[in-house]
Each structure stands twice: as structure tokens, then as C-alpha cells.
Amino acid sequence: MQPSCKKCCNFVGCKLNKTTMLLEKIEALRGKLNELKADNEEALEALRIKYLSKKGEITALFAEFKDVPPEQKRELGQKLNEIKTLATERINALRESYKGQAKEQNKIDITRPGFPAEVGTRHPLSVVRKQIIDIFTRLGFTLAEGPEVEDDWHVFSALNFAADHPARDMQDTFFIEQNKDDVTRNIVLRSHTSSVQVRTMERRQPPIRIICPGRVYRNEAITARAHCFFHQIEGLYIDKGVTFADLKQVLLHFAQELYGPETQIRLRPSYFPFTEPSAEMDVSCMLCGGEGCGFCKHTGWVEILGCGMVDPAVLEASGIDSTVYSGYAFGLGIERITNLKYMVKDLRMFSENDVRFLDEFRSAH
Ligand code: DAH
């Protein structure tokens, strides 16, 4: 038998030496196990495989155990079991602490600032429509509505359009039902909100003081300057003794409320079948204040609406006595007013719903 050396010469038969080496390995392993680190499930699994699986380091130590002399088996067996328990406990402890950390991370931080809720913006046409409605309701006008699919009577005939008037033509009007022999039986998409004048006069006797906002349709090619639908506001005032001076004063007030107190108006004679006399109204250019610039084509004026005294024939067609009552009417395009206020260059932008465009009106109200 070889002398019992503690660390030895690797003499193959030296069982004692094997034991010493095994003990040293166990102690080295204990040191390593105390240092283990893992902060996720994969790292933990890697550790389990490294130490505890069939090919793991501790299992390998158990294999060496068979060479330990019987009298040392008890002590070494205990140490091996201890180290195995230690490895299992260490890995479990790491798992618990990593789970705890994850929980910690998932906790809601109530001090963190919230995400601002995204709110939409009002459409520019709605903004301007509201501004116009507000101006007229402050003057005592009330709102009136009518259908978009209308009959010929309310869109044309009652408004004094002759049977062969070009506005009835295919190029202007969208027909829902077209009657070749009798145009007065046509059903159309209304081409102006003046139809609501007729509907209101049919139902009510004066005094009538209404504005009618709504969508209108015309059979036009869609370009930057024309669209097949757009929006108008119609105004109508009928009472005893209403004169052109009333119309002029109300429109001046409207223009100054909308574009500022310096704004001037001018009325140019024009023609509409349903008013006599008729006029188109210009306002002093909102860019140059009337001096003349590229925007107003160096005239100092821009056109914004059509107006006039309601033709007696129109009053009579709706059952209002034109010998007792008179009135004025006006009609404006909301897109046009909006373009002049916000310098929108392309009509198509109003209906494309591009949020970058709509977002520019965030501060408008
Ligand atoms: N209906 C006309 C249009 O669509 C606008 C208009 C002009 C309305 C004069 C009126 C008016 O009430 O008096 O072009």
C-alpha cells in the first residue's frame, strides 16, 4: 500500500488520493455555487444542466464516488448529497429572486406622466360654418334644413327657373330620376340650398328669418377649383317693408364680423332667377386690405356671395302675398369663405381627410 499522501502523484491505485481530490472538487464547487448568477429562465436552465443534469458536474462527482474506499464513503456521501442539495437550493433561490425582480419591474409606476389622449380636430368647414351661423343667429336668424335629394319644384321651378334654364342641364345637375317630356317631374341632388327657402316659405308665413347650411351637388370634374359636392349657407328674410338697405346692412355686418371691422363691401349688379334686383357681393381683399395684390388679382376686391330681393314670383309660388311682404335672400359657399380665411389652395383637401391638413386647424374653433 502506498503511503497516505494528501495530494499525490496520481498513483492509479491510491484510493486515498482519489478521496482527497474528490473533496477538493466538492469544496471548489461549493465556492462556485455560492457565486452563481442568473437573471432569466434560460440562464437558470443552463445552470441546472451544467450542475444537475445527467451529464452535469455533480452527477460526474457521484460517478467518482464509487472509487472512494468504504470507510470514507459515509463522510463523502454526505458531502456529495450536501453539495447536490446546495446546487438545487441555489438554483431555486435564483429563480425566486429573478421572478421577484420581474414582478418588481412589472409594477405600475404611478409617478410616470401619462400619455396624452389623442383628440381630433374640427374640420375647417365645420369651424367656418359655425362662425357664420353664430354671426347670423346673433342677428335673430334661425336654422332651417331641407333634403339633399329634391324634386325639380323646390330646386328650380318654384325659384323661377325657366323650363329651359341651363342650370337644369345635365352638365350641372345630378339626376336621380330624369323625365325627358316633363322636366318638372325630375328628381335631383340639390344644386343649391336655395331649395330650403321654398320649403320654409311653403310651411310658414312671414316674418321668416332663416339660414340654411347644407351640402349641395353639381356635376363638375373634380379639380383644385371645382368639386362635385360642396357646402352652402342660404339666408332668407321676409317681412313687411324689407328693403335692399336692410340686406346691405346685414351683409356689411356679416363681412366685418367674419373678416374684421376694417372690411369694406361692394355690391355689383348680377342676375339670379329668384331675386330682383340681384347682386354679387365683394369684400375688400383680406390680404392687402384693398390696395391690390396677386391674391385679389390687383383689384382690391374678392367675391364672396350672391344676393338680392326675393322675386315676387318666388313669394307667390310658395303662397306668400307679394303685395304685403318683401324680403331678401343671399347664398354663400362655405368652401369659398374658408379658402379666403385660411388660404386653402386646393378644394380637394377638404374631402381627402388627410390628418396633416386637418391638424393645421387644431387651434381654430
Ligand atoms: N343659389 C345661388 C347659387 O347657388 C346662390 C344665391 C344667389 C342664393 C343669390 C341666393 C341669392 O339666395 O339671392 O349660386
Side-chain angles (χ1 to χ4, degrees):
M1 178 111 182
Q2 287 289 313
S4 68
C5 51
K6 282 223 155 182
K7 274 196 184 149
C8 100
C9 46
N10 273 339
F11 176 67
V12 183
C14 179
K15 302 281 184 191
L16 196 62
N17 180 250
K18 280 275 177 198
T19 308
T20 312
M21 279 169 44
L22 196 52
L23 270 171
E24 277 179 2
K25 281 186 189 165
I26 289 172
E27 286 319 307
L29 200 56
R30 194 188 304 278
K32 270 207 257 174
L33 289 176
N34 285 328
E35 305 277 291
L36 288 190
K37 280 197 180 76
D39 58 3
N40 59 50
E41 202 51 46
E42 281 114 75
L44 276 172
E45 180 60 8
L47 290 179
R48 193 195 62 76
I49 292 169
K50 185 167 187 305
Y51 295 107
L52 295 167
S53 69
K54 275 191 183 158
K55 292 186 179 159
E57 287 183 26
I58 295 178
T59 320
L61 294 183
F62 273 95
E64 287 181 35
F65 180 66
K66 64 179 184 322
D67 298 330
V68 171
E71 68 275 17
Q72 288 160 356
K73 271 214 152 83
R74 192 182 146 83
E75 189 197 344
L76 251 130
Q78 248 175 20
K79 285 207 186 297
L80 268 179
N81 281 331
E82 256 174 49
I83 205 76
K84 187 175 176 183
T85 314
L86 177 68
T88 314
E89 279 174 3
R90 207 52 211 120
I91 289 174
N92 285 344
L94 281 174
R95 175 170 289 119
E96 286 313 307
S97 83
Y98 136 71
K99 272 190 188 155
Q101 265 175 25
K103 252 191 216 153
E104 200 66 31
Q105 277 162 10
N106 284 343
K107 266 194 192 157
I108 296 169
D109 176 4
I110 55 166
T111 64
R112 199 172 142 178
F115 294 110
E118 278 282 333
V119 286
T121 56
R122 273 174 186 268
H123 192 283
L125 294 179
S126 305
V127 172
V128 172
R129 181 185 53 198
K130 181 169 182 296
Q131 287 170 353
I132 299 170
I133 291 174
D134 284 351
I135 295 170
F136 284 108
T137 50
R138 283 199 293 274
L139 292 175
F141 285 76
T142 53
L143 287 177
E145 279 186 336
E148 290 181 14
V149 178
E150 261 294 11
D151 51 30
D152 176 274
W153 172 256
H154 292 93
V155 181
F156 298 124
S157 295
L159 288 165
N160 224 10
F161 282 82
D164 57 355
H165 193 284
R168 280 193 160 103
D169 199 280
M170 275 299 261
Q171 267 125 54
D172 272 314
T173 310
F174 282 116
F175 292 90
I176 303 290
E177 276 171 45
Q178 194 176 16
N179 206 295
K180 292 227 164 52
D181 307 321
D182 182 1
V183 291
T184 63
R185 283 164 59 201
N186 288 341
I187 303 290
V188 301
L189 289 179
R190 69 178 176 197
S191 53
H192 55 180
T193 43
S194 304
S195 54
V196 189
Q197 282 188 25
V198 181
R199 289 212 167 256
T200 309
M201 288 190 287
E202 281 173 347
R203 275 202 311 267
R204 286 168 45 182
Q205 281 297 305
I208 294 173
R209 189 156 37 180
I210 51 155
I211 47 168
C212 332
R215 183 174 279 190
V216 300
Y217 301 84
R218 287 187 198 172
N219 193 357
E220 305 242 19
I222 298 172
T223 65
R225 311 198 53 169
H227 210 293
C228 61
F229 65 78
F230 54 98
H231 301 80
Q232 288 188 331
I233 295 186
E234 185 78 13
L236 177 71
Y237 178 38
I238 300 174
D239 205 345
K240 287 180 182 153
V242 178
T243 68
F244 203 94
D246 298 316
L247 170 64
K248 202 174 158 187
Q249 194 55 41
V250 160
L251 293 180
L252 175 64
H253 174 80
F254 164 68
Q256 293 184 338
E257 286 283 289
L258 195 66
Y259 293 113
E262 309 298 314
T263 311
Q264 301 288 306
I265 62 166
R266 79 173 180 187
L267 291 157
R268 282 178 290 104
S270 185
Y271 172 78
F272 300 102
F274 37 92
T275 43
E276 182 57 38
S278 303
E280 272 166 321
M281 185 177 96
D282 299 339
V283 291
S284 50
C285 177
M286 49 291 290
L287 269 195
C288 63
E291 304 218 325
C293 66
F295 184 70
C296 57
K297 302 201 182 81
H298 302 281
T299 62
W301 298 98
V302 281
E303 185 198 319
I304 67 162
L305 55 80
C307 59
M309 299 305 290
V310 181
D311 193 303
V314 173
L315 295 176
E316 295 293 338
S318 297
I320 289 175
D321 187 345
S322 64
T323 60
V324 179
Y325 295 107
S326 61
Y328 63 71
F330 55 87
L332 51 88
I334 303 180
E335 275 82 349
R336 172 126 186 99
I337 305 276
T338 309
N339 289 351
L340 296 179
K341 226 173 140 63
Y342 295 112
M343 309 295 157
V344 179
K345 295 255 164 53
D346 190 330
L347 266 184
R348 290 168 290 196
M349 300 183 96
F350 289 125
S351 49
E352 276 170 351
N353 283 335
D354 185 332
V355 286
R356 292 169 301 181
F357 169 70
L358 298 175
D359 223 40
E360 290 190 25
F361 298 88
R362 192 164 282 285
S363 62
H365 48 264

